[in-house]
Amino acid sequence: MISTTPKGDRRYAILGTGALGGYYGACLQRVGLEVHFLLHRDYQHVREQGLVIESADGDFTLPVVNAYDDVAQMPACDVVIVALKTTQNHLLSDMLPPVVKDDGVVLVLQNGMGIEQEVAQLVGSKRVMGGLCFLCSNKVEPGHIHHLDYKQITLGEYLPDYQPGGLTQRMRQIADDFERASIPITLAEDLLLARWQKLVWNIPYNGLSVVLDATTNELMADNSTRSLVEQLMGEVLAGASATGRKISDRFIQTMLDYTEKMTPYRTSMKIDYDERRPLEVEAIVGNPLRVATAAGTDLPLISMLYRQLKFLDMQNRRFNTD
Amino acid sequence: MISTTPKGDRRYAILGTGALGGYYGACLQRVGLEVHFLLHRDYQHVREQGLVIESADGDFTLPVVNAYDDVAQMPACDVVIVALKTTQNHLLSDMLPPVVKDDGVVLVLQNGMGIEQEVAQLVGSKRVMGGLCFLCSNKVEPGHIHHLDYKQITLGEYLPDYQPGGLTQRMRQIADDFERASIPITLAEDLLLARWQKLVWNIPYNGLSVVLDATTNELMADNSTRSLVEQLMGEVLAGASATGRKISDRFIQTMLDYTEKMTPYRTSMKIDYDERRPLEVEAIVGNPLRVATAAGTDLPLISMLYRQLKFLDMQNRRFNTD
């Protein structure tokens, strides 16, 4: 059971008010929950003008939000959502401890693998959950988020070494809050399995979209890359299997079919690359690779993709003027 | 023994008068050999103005050359040098038979593997030799070739199924002609071994330079790509081994050291890609891969590189306006 505000609600913090954190946080505040937003570049703008959400589900504006540019000014919260890019996670050791209540929880809404372990070292493994977001959303201007499609989240408890955490009361409480905000939630009994499942999509499409300068539909329309996607997915299954998580081969076909039916899509890693931002290579590709290797399984194609991405990321950063 | 012209010399044909064929043909003509040049786009220009060679070894001009735009007009020759890009090899079935004398020889000066077999089907396996060129040369304008560095050629006899051909008299004759033109020649007893050795360099550097938009020195300066280059070289050795050709592991280190000392270099495949010309993917990557697979050896990283290159080649050709 997580403690509540005097009103009886849980208090939320959003660390990283971008396309993802800004969208979910705004949805929660809109239905009456208390939300505290940490910002960096957009702080002044959002403090003065609030957040604008443009969405297929209906546009809305929050003229006033609790905006901060310093975590020390934020109140301790019941649920602290980590919505930074993983490339910013070196900031978490300073950010997290003051903002999470003793009986609160940090909810990591980031891509990839291994982040919950890092967070557990900062706040203790009893205060960590993971979430996988299926969301198409962009920040188009400071404080202005364009939500395109999807929004569901899969939630899972983190236990040391990614033992399956089962279903808990606090998962259901958080799910209630999100569902009140019309965000569908799936509860996963095994967070690591859910993370591997998401990587079946994320590793091939994020990786190849950057290396080959391609959208998802271009990768699917060409026989060479379509079968390469399939081989990479097979290696993700081998990685999952090395850690005792079985994903059926049929899941690959499901992901291929799903991607073929999608609107042509520029992946998040490709957007980061095009915007000359650091790539989430370690979280999405490097960490799963190391987990599989530690479990005794080589993933040669993913390893090659990883080296290609590391090279492109380094070359790309040379031109970053931020 | 190859027949000779009335003067006692061998008569040469150059099929494809570009950076490579134009350079070697001009060097041979310059020392008095009879050379016949087949051209396409530059035909009118070269017929009227000849060839200009700009070279670190000394510039020279050939104001008059035997220029053709139709192979039917060419005399039958003793040595027919195939210097097209391999992507043009579908033209050889029409080109070759009339231009090579009954006791002449076709010398394939192309990159990659498997071309001699195709040529043998057109002119018989007794009239085929292969050569590997180590040449830095560009065509800068019609009929104007800029020779930058290197020029040596490794020559080998072709025998059915790439059995080692040993050293023959006609190899020595051709070597004499080239050496008269100051082009160093190495005679290889085993053409297939020589081709695999050259692929140790060509597959990783040509392939990765296109996929990662990189020069050789950029690939060497980054740890991720340097070790990927090394892994790809290891797979070329495995392919060679599958066909009974042993290349020592030390050869990899030699190639790495050699590349590190080279002037930063844009590979020929990268130049083709940047110029939106078709890539020599099949000759350089696809054929060796198929040879290894047929011999029972998988080369997973080269296979991934092949699929990536096929995709990029197809995307690139969409913009080709030639």
Side-chain angles (χ1 to χ4, degrees):
Chain A
M1 181 76 75
I2 309 174
S3 68
T4 55
T5 62
K7 254 175 76 186
D9 288 333
R10 278 158 291 280
R11 180 191 281 157
Y12 282 80
I14 304 284
L15 305 187
T17 306
L20 186 142
Y23 175 70
Y24 287 127
C27 288
L28 293 168
Q29 176 173 333
R30 186 192 187 196
V31 294
L33 287 156
E34 182 182 327
V35 185
H36 299 267
F37 295 90
L38 183 71
L39 296 114
H40 178 54
R41 216 174 302 179
D42 298 351
Y43 167 68
Q44 280 297 342
H45 186 277
V46 171
R47 197 174 72 115
E48 288 160 17
Q49 309 201 28
L51 288 168
V52 176
I53 309 295
E54 195 184 339
S55 170
D57 300 335
D59 303 347
F60 64 95
T61 300
L62 301 176
V64 178
V65 301
N66 301 310
Y68 306 84
D69 66 348
D70 178 5
V71 77
Q73 307 301 315
M74 296 176 79
C77 291
D78 301 297
V79 183
V80 177
I81 291 179
V82 177
L84 304 164
K85 287 275 179 188
T86 54
T87 48
Q88 296 296 307
N89 278 3
H90 55 280
L91 303 173
L92 290 178
S93 56
D94 287 334
M95 275 184 185
L96 277 180
V99 79
V100 54
K101 279 190 184 169
D102 287 347
D103 56 354
V105 67
V106 176
L107 171 57
V108 179
L109 291 191
Q110 295 182 314
N111 272 319
M113 185 168 277
I115 315 300
E116 289 90 358
Q117 276 171 308
E118 295 171 29
V119 170
Q121 287 172 10
L122 303 173
V123 300
S125 59
K126 293 192 175 148
R127 294 197 290 171
V128 188
M129 296 174 61
L132 296 85
C133 303
F134 300 82
L135 174 76
C136 293
S137 172
N138 296 311
K139 195 180 78 172
V140 288
E141 289 174 41
H144 184 161
I145 289 156
H146 186 194
H147 168 238
L148 299 153
D149 205 356
Y150 304 108
K151 54 186 175 181
Q152 65 267 36
I153 298 175
T154 297
L155 272 189
E157 284 284 357
Y158 173 75
L159 260 65
D161 296 326
Y162 283 105
Q163 301 161 61
L167 303 182
T168 62
Q169 193 176 6
R170 69 179 180 182
M171 285 168 80
R172 294 199 180 89
Q173 292 174 322
I174 294 172
D176 285 346
D177 290 341
F178 276 85
E179 282 166 356
R180 187 164 138 196
S182 302
I183 295 157
I185 297 286
T186 303
L187 300 183
E189 298 188 43
D190 183 349
L191 178 62
L192 186 61
L193 174 63
R195 289 225 167 266
W196 278 118
Q197 284 172 327
K198 189 159 190 210
L199 289 169
V200 171
W201 197 94
N202 268 339
I203 288 179
Y205 290 107
N206 275 287
L208 292 177
S209 69
V210 170
V211 173
L212 300 176
D213 185 19
T215 55
T216 52
N217 57 312
E218 289 168 338
L219 295 173
M220 293 309 281
D222 181 283
N223 284 334
S224 296
T225 40
R226 193 196 153 94
S227 69
L228 183 53
V229 164
E230 206 172 328
Q231 290 179 319
L232 288 163
M233 287 180 170
E235 284 200 352
V236 180
L237 263 60
S241 176
T243 59
R245 266 62 175 187
K246 299 291 171 211
I247 302 174
S248 129
D249 285 338
R250 269 175 299 129
F251 191 73
I252 291 180
Q253 195 56 51
T254 305
M255 287 296 102
L256 294 171
D257 293 345
Y258 159 81
T259 310
E260 271 191 331
K261 282 179 212 136
M262 273 171 55
T263 313
Y265 185 60
R266 194 162 61 122
T267 67
S268 64
M269 195 178 279
K270 182 64 165 74
I271 292 171
D272 285 340
Y273 184 76
D274 292 345
E275 303 282 332
R276 298 201 180 284
R277 292 190 294 251
L279 305 185
E280 298 190 288
V281 186
E282 296 305 342
I284 295 178
V285 190
N287 288 352
L289 199 54
R290 285 182 281 271
V291 166
T293 303
T297 296
D298 280 340
L299 308 176
L301 304 189
I302 294 177
S303 174
M304 174 158 163
L305 188 63
Y306 174 67
R307 291 176 199 277
Q308 292 182 324
L309 290 168
K310 290 284 284 178
F311 176 82
L312 290 173
D313 187 33
M314 291 309 293
Q315 298 290 109
N316 205 37
R317 292 189 197 199
R318 294 193 310 182
F319 300 101
N320 192 335
T321 53
D322 280 5
Chain B
M1 181 74 76
I2 308 174
S3 67
T4 55
T5 62
K7 256 175 77 187
D9 289 332
R10 278 158 291 279
R11 179 191 283 158
Y12 281 80
I14 304 283
L15 306 187
T17 307
L20 184 143
Y23 175 70
Y24 287 126
C27 289
L28 292 169
Q29 175 172 334
R30 186 192 186 197
V31 294
L33 287 155
E34 181 182 328
V35 184
H36 299 267
F37 295 89
L38 183 70
L39 297 114
H40 178 54
R41 216 174 301 180
D42 297 352
Y43 168 66
Q44 279 298 341
H45 185 277
V46 171
R47 197 174 71 117
E48 288 160 17
Q49 309 202 27
L51 288 168
V52 176
I53 309 294
E54 196 183 338
S55 170
D57 300 335
D59 304 344
F60 65 95
T61 300
L62 302 176
V64 178
V65 301
N66 302 309
Y68 306 83
D69 66 347
D70 177 5
V71 77
Q73 308 300 316
M74 297 175 78
C77 291
D78 301 297
V79 183
V80 177
I81 292 180
V82 177
L84 304 164
K85 288 274 178 187
T86 54
T87 50
Q88 297 295 306
N89 278 3
H90 54 281
L91 303 173
L92 291 178
S93 56
D94 287 334
M95 275 183 185
L96 277 181
V99 80
V100 53
K101 279 190 185 168
D102 287 347
D103 57 354
V105 67
V106 176
L107 172 56
V108 179
L109 291 191
Q110 294 182 313
N111 272 319
M113 184 168 279
I115 315 300
E116 288 90 0
Q117 276 171 308
E118 295 170 30
V119 170
Q121 286 171 12
L122 302 174
V123 301
S125 59
K126 294 192 175 150
R127 294 198 291 171
V128 188
M129 295 176 62
L132 295 84
C133 304
F134 300 82
L135 174 76
C136 293
S137 171
N138 296 311
K139 195 180 78 174
V140 288
E141 287 175 43
H144 184 162
I145 290 155
H146 186 194
H147 168 238
L148 299 153
D149 205 357
Y150 304 108
K151 55 186 176 181
Q152 65 268 35
I153 299 175
T154 297
L155 272 188
E157 284 284 357
Y158 173 75
L159 260 66
D161 297 326
Y162 283 105
Q163 300 161 63
L167 303 182
T168 62
Q169 193 176 6
R170 67 178 180 184
M171 285 168 80
R172 294 199 181 88
Q173 292 175 323
I174 294 173
D176 284 347
D177 291 341
F178 276 85
E179 282 166 356
R180 188 166 138 194
S182 302
I183 296 157
I185 297 284
T186 304
L187 301 183
E189 297 189 42
D190 183 348
L191 178 60
L192 185 62
L193 174 63
R195 289 225 168 265
W196 278 118
Q197 284 171 327
K198 190 159 189 208
L199 289 169
V200 171
W201 196 93
N202 268 339
I203 289 179
Y205 291 107
N206 275 286
L208 291 177
S209 69
V210 170
V211 173
L212 300 176
D213 185 20
T215 55
T216 52
N217 57 314
E218 288 168 338
L219 295 173
M220 293 310 281
D222 180 283
N223 285 334
S224 296
T225 41
R226 194 196 153 94
S227 69
L228 183 53
V229 164
E230 206 171 329
Q231 289 180 319
L232 288 163
M233 287 180 169
E235 284 201 350
V236 180
L237 264 59
S241 175
T243 59
R245 266 63 176 187
K246 300 290 169 211
I247 302 173
S248 128
D249 285 338
R250 268 177 298 128
F251 191 73
I252 290 179
Q253 195 55 50
T254 305
M255 287 295 103
L256 294 172
D257 293 345
Y258 160 80
T259 310
E260 270 189 332
K261 282 179 212 135
M262 273 171 55
T263 314
Y265 185 59
R266 195 163 60 122
T267 67
S268 64
M269 194 179 279
K270 182 64 164 74
I271 292 170
D272 286 339
Y273 184 77
D274 292 344
E275 303 282 332
R276 298 201 179 285
R277 292 191 293 251
L279 305 184
E280 299 190 287
V281 186
E282 295 305 341
I284 296 177
V285 189
N287 288 352
L289 198 54
R290 284 183 283 269
V291 166
T293 304
T297 296
D298 280 339
L299 309 176
L301 303 189
I302 294 177
S303 175
M304 175 158 162
L305 188 63
Y306 174 67
R307 291 176 199 277
Q308 292 181 326
L309 290 168
K310 291 284 284 178
F311 176 84
L312 291 173
D313 186 33
M314 292 308 293
Q315 298 290 108
N316 205 38
R317 290 189 198 199
R318 294 194 311 183
F319 301 101
N320 191 334
T321 54
D322 278 6

